[in-house]
């Protein structure tokens, strides 16, 4: 690993913000029977209450079990849509079993309590960009997240949760990039996409260096993801190219960023170290993405938060603001 790449990694270790809350992983429960034709299957389920549970799914592509935090729809008597939530680079369940996620860092459980939508939070995938890597990584393992999230998982959860087949996906920070890319990989799968504080560029600077820095900060080798710097995979997986953006046409898009400045009209205290510096990069990326979607005539809702930081309170706000549009896309039309 070059000196330059180590420096990028150290910068992200200092700068990437993710809140954490202690929640010890639940013990294993009874096995569930659902299985896909490719060998992926629901391994077991741990129930918290009548609507909340953790479902563990075996991914054939990754040859391991992935944990998912579930909030079932308020009315489960009929098929309901599904909202997939992805965490930031440092979130999920760490090696000591501590969880940092949408459910621990936001008001998600209360917010979804009266909604007829199944909510699925992925508890794995730290530093991976939720993409299919071309090679196994010594530290981050085998990563085939596009395959898992777009092909293996949805039919299993639709069967288990009585899903309607209507889906939305929302990501923050690292996964804000991934949410766009996943929708481009399977444009018929998602009716709505939320990308909060994500940098869509992966093949041009500053986005390219940002992506590499995130992977390095987690101990991974970014060349194992899409090839060496400048390899065709970096362009092929760039959600912001005109060819890939065309795949988002017709999908309800909600994209937000802050400017990382000091003046937040909400008066919220800025406690996240480096949150402003990171968000200022994201702000630049987001304005560039808006310029590209505008040039292509692809409708999208962009929200810029004065003083907005790279942290969970702002992502909670972004979900609340985007929700009417996301809900409408999930519940209306064919």
């Amino acid at each position: 690993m070059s000196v330059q790449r180590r420096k990028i990694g150290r910068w992200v270790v200092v700068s990437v913000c993710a809140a954490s809350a202690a929640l010890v992983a639940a013990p294993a429960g009874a096995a569930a029977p659902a299985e896909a034709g490719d060998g992926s299957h629901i391994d077991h389920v741990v129930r918290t209450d009548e609507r909340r549970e953790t479902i563990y799914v075996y991914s054939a592509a990754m040859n391991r079990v992935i944990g998912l935090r579930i909030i079932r729809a308020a009315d489960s008597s009929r098929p309901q849509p599904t909202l997939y939530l992805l965490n930031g680079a440092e979130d999920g369940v760490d090696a000591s079993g501590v969880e940092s996620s949408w459910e621990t860092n936001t008001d998600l459980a209360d917010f979804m309590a009266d909604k007829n939508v199944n909510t699925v939070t992925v508890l794995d995938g730290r530093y991976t960009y939720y993409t299919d890597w071309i090679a196994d990584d010594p530290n981050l393992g085998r990563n085939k997240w596009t395959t898992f999230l777009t092909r293996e998982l949805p039919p299993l959860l639709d069967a288990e949760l009585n899903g309607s087949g209507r889906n939305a996906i929302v990501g923050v920070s690292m996964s804000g990039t991934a949410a766009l890319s996943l929708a481009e990989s399977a444009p018929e799968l998602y009716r709505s996409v939320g990308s909060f504080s994500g940098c869509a560029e992966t093949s041009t600077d500053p986005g390219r260096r940002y992506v590499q820095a995130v992977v390095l900060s987690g101990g991974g080798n970014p060349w194992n993801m899409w090839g060496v710097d400048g390899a065709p995979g970096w362009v092929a997986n760039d959600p912001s190219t005109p060819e890939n953006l065309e795949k988002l046409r017709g999908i309800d898009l909600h994209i937000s960023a802050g400017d990382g400045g000091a003046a937040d009209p909400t008066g919220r205290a800025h406690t996240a170290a480096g949150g402003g510096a990171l968000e200022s990069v994201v702000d630049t990326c987001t304005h560039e993405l808006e310029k590209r979607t505008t040039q292509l005539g692809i409708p999208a809702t962009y929200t810029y938060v004065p003083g907005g930081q790279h942290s969970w309170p702002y992502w909670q706000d972004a979900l609340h603001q985007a929700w009417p549009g996301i809900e409408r896309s999930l519940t209306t039309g064919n």
Side-chain angles (χ1 to χ4, degrees):
M1 184 181 297
S2 70
V3 172
Q4 179 184 12
R5 287 165 58 202
R6 286 198 298 271
K7 286 181 178 178
I8 294 172
R10 286 196 295 270
W11 174 77
V12 171
V13 169
V14 172
S15 301
V16 172
C17 165
S20 62
L23 178 63
V24 178
E35 184 164 349
D38 59 11
S40 300
H41 60 272
I42 293 180
D43 185 79
H44 63 281
V45 178
V46 178
R47 302 200 185 280
T48 303
D49 54 41
E50 62 179 10
R51 288 189 56 197
R52 293 188 302 159
E53 60 199 343
T54 305
I55 295 180
Y56 294 89
V57 177
Y58 172 75
S59 165
M62 290 189 277
N63 191 30
R64 61 190 177 92
V65 174
I66 309 298
L68 311 163
R69 190 79 74 225
I70 308 295
I71 304 173
R72 289 180 179 257
D75 177 8
S76 59
S77 66
R78 56 192 176 88
Q80 301 289 7
T82 301
L83 170 66
Y84 290 89
L85 296 175
L86 304 176
N87 292 309
E90 295 182 340
D91 299 299
V93 178
D94 65 20
S96 64
V98 174
E99 178 182 338
S100 171
S101 69
W102 275 96
E103 193 156 327
T104 64
N105 290 313
T106 73
D107 66 351
L108 181 70
D110 290 337
F111 184 67
M112 301 303 296
D114 62 346
K115 295 174 175 57
N116 286 320
V117 176
N118 296 309
T119 306
V120 178
T121 302
V122 182
L123 299 180
D124 203 335
R126 290 155 57 93
Y127 307 105
T128 67
Y129 272 87
Y130 292 106
T131 188
D132 281 1
W133 288 41
I134 65 171
D136 293 354
D137 188 84
N139 290 322
L140 299 181
R142 175 168 298 173
N143 295 293
K144 298 293 181 183
W145 289 99
T146 301
T147 298
F148 177 67
L149 291 169
T150 65
R151 291 165 48 190
E152 295 179 332
L153 183 61
L156 292 173
L157 289 187
D158 279 348
E160 176 72 13
L161 303 177
N162 194 19
S164 66
R166 298 182 176 190
N167 306 293
I169 189 166
V170 171
V172 299
S173 188
M174 174 194 80
S175 66
T177 307
L180 295 169
S181 186
L182 288 162
E184 292 169 351
S185 298
E188 300 301 318
L189 183 60
Y190 306 108
R191 289 173 173 247
S192 185
V193 175
S195 175
F196 308 151
S197 296
C199 188
E201 303 167 51
T202 68
S203 61
T204 56
D205 293 336
R208 176 178 59 139
R209 298 306 181 195
Y210 186 97
V211 170
Q212 292 167 4
V214 169
V215 175
L216 283 164
S217 73
N221 183 343
W223 305 165
N224 288 328
M225 187 164 67
W226 296 322
V228 298
D229 195 21
W234 289 84
V235 175
N237 288 281
D238 187 334
S240 69
T241 66
E243 294 78 11
N244 285 333
L245 285 174
E246 282 293 341
K247 300 170 187 175
L248 298 177
R249 191 179 296 277
I251 297 175
D252 176 51
L253 302 174
H254 300 269
I255 301 165
S256 71
D259 61 12
D264 182 351
T266 68
R268 182 182 291 121
H270 296 163
T271 58
L278 280 175
E279 199 66 7
S280 65
V281 176
V282 167
D283 181 61
T284 299
C285 293
T286 304
H287 276 92
E288 177 62 25
L289 181 64
E290 182 177 18
K291 181 167 62 176
R292 296 183 189 187
T293 55
T294 300
Q295 289 172 342
L296 292 169
I298 297 173
T301 299
Y302 286 87
T303 302
Y304 297 96
V305 181
Q309 303 286 293
H310 205 78
S311 61
W312 280 106
Y314 297 90
W315 302 333
Q316 173 180 293
D317 291 350
L319 179 61
H320 286 202
Q321 185 167 357
W323 179 252
I326 294 173
E327 185 178 39
R328 189 164 50 248
S329 71
L330 290 173
T331 57
T332 61
N334 296 326

